[in-house]
Each structure stands twice: as C-alpha cells, then as structure tokens.
Amino acid sequence: MKKLKLILPMLAFVFAIALSFAFVSTTSEDYYATGFIQIGTTWYEVDMDCSPGEELCKVTLEGDETETKYQVYDDENGNPLESTSPFPEEIPDPRLNP
C-alpha cells in the first residue's frame, strides 16, 4: 500500500509530461476545416484546408472531368465557409468514401 501511494503520484506526473508533448498547436496556417457540400440533393461531409479570408471556400472533386465547383458550408443548410484563396481546392469524391 505504501508503494502504491508513492507510485501513483509519480505516474500521474509522468503522464502529464507525456501529454504535454502530444498536443499539436494550431496556427492560422494550419486551419483544417470540416465542412459540407451539396451534390444533387445529398449533403456530404468533407475535410479540407480552408483558412478564413474574404473569398468563398469552394472545392472540386478528383476525377470530375467537368470540374464543377462546390460551395463549402459550415453545416447542412448553414453559412458558407470563407477562404483566402479564390481557387477551389481539389478533394477526393466524398461519394466514394462512405
């Protein structure tokens, strides 16, 4: 019992130090957003790099020969996300990744 009272606080201290190194800090350059696009009548969740800016955030789908641009929203029927780039980002087709 005495060893347990000594080991547990030391173990908690070691875990606290280990977790402090596991945290990844985010900067404005590493803004990774989860958004939604509407293809037809269906909404799909997409992950993309979309830094806040003055342009509207748009994407194109890999393998789409028509290069249709889809507006990215913060949630279904929500506000459009903003981007610093006027060019759409190419992402994998969410219909192929359930």
Side-chain angles (χ1 to χ4, degrees):
M1 188 69 161
K2 259 186 170 183
K3 289 182 182 179
L4 187 63
K5 286 184 179 181
L6 178 66
I7 291 175
L8 281 179
M10 290 174 37
L11 191 59
F13 184 70
V14 169
F15 281 138
I17 292 173
L19 287 176
S20 70
F21 289 108
F23 180 74
V24 177
S25 65
T26 59
T27 63
S28 61
E29 298 170 356
D30 297 330
Y31 186 78
Y32 198 69
T34 298
F36 292 87
I37 61 172
Q38 186 176 17
I39 303 174
T41 58
T42 307
W43 288 91
Y44 295 94
E45 185 175 326
V46 294
D47 293 326
M48 53 170 307
D49 184 13
C50 194
S51 302
E54 296 181 8
E55 302 289 332
L56 291 177
C57 190
K58 296 187 177 186
V59 295
T60 58
L61 304 178
E62 291 176 357
D64 183 12
E65 294 177 6
T66 62
E67 295 184 8
T68 305
K69 296 176 186 172
Y70 297 96
Q71 176 66 51
V72 181
Y73 297 90
D74 60 356
D75 61 3
E76 295 176 12
N77 299 320
N79 297 325
L81 289 177
E82 297 178 344
S83 176
T84 55
S85 173
F87 305 106
E89 181 179 339
E90 189 173 44
I91 61 169
D93 192 335
R95 296 173 290 190
L96 303 176
N97 300 328

